[in-house]
Amino acid sequence: MTDIIILSGSPSKHSRSQLAANYAGKLAEEQGFTVKEISVTDFTPEDLIYARFDSPAIVRAGHAVSGAKGLIIASPVYKAAYTGVLKALLDLLPQDAFKHKPVLPIMTGGSPAHLLAIDYALKPLIANLKGEPLQGVYLCDHHINKENPDQPVADAETGIRINTQANQLVEAIRRNHSISIAK
């Protein structure tokens, strides 16, 4: 079982939101957690568009998400919300796949004008799936350096925000796990 699943909602194989999420995942790995990425690009378009709940790839993703201790969900902002292809994937996961899991939302966009997309679009979706959304991180495109995927954060302030949120995710997982052990 993987501790943290990254759900990457960008249709681009090398997106800024994916780089930011992978960076947060790397920070969690440095604290001893296992991390696995699931991207919308891992699925055939037919599985997503035709809602193939029984697709082996969709079923595997559902099991991985359901079995994780925490999640990082990342998407670029499209039309003031997360991507439609991310929504298509989430619609195919089990209804309680996020239940009792801390979820770190990460979104990227071209300007600060889309900052509230996390609060008005992604967090309500996470809550509907019974996840426990953290504050999250919104990054403008210029905050991510695509030329340096190992260290994609382009400025110190953004690095601090991602570090803080990754630490909160790790602490929430530890807290939830110690509660379940005590029961």
Side-chain angles (χ1 to χ4, degrees), residues 28-136:
E29 284 178 328
E30 290 171 359
Q31 296 190 50
F33 288 83
T34 57
V35 179
K36 177 184 175 190
E37 179 185 352
I38 297 173
S39 172
V40 294
T41 62
D42 296 340
F43 305 94
T44 65
E46 294 80 12
D47 284 351
L48 299 172
I49 298 300
Y50 297 123
R52 294 185 177 151
F53 288 90
D54 61 347
S55 157
I58 296 293
V59 170
R60 278 191 305 276
H63 288 307
V65 170
S66 294
K69 296 176 184 172
L71 303 167
I72 298 171
I73 186 167
S75 177
V77 175
Y78 280 18
K79 306 291 185 191
Y82 44 82
T83 62
V85 69
L86 176 61
K87 177 70 166 81
L89 173 60
L90 294 175
D91 285 345
L92 297 174
L93 297 179
Q95 179 61 32
D96 62 351
F98 285 26
K99 191 172 186 176
H100 303 304
K101 291 177 181 44
V103 182
L104 171 56
I106 296 176
M107 293 188 88
T108 58
S111 77
H114 303 290
L115 172 67
L116 294 177
I118 285 180
D119 290 327
Y120 290 106
L122 197 51
K123 282 184 182 179
L125 177 66
I126 292 167
N128 181 267
L129 294 170
K130 301 185 181 37
E132 301 167 2
L134 301 177
Q135 178 181 345

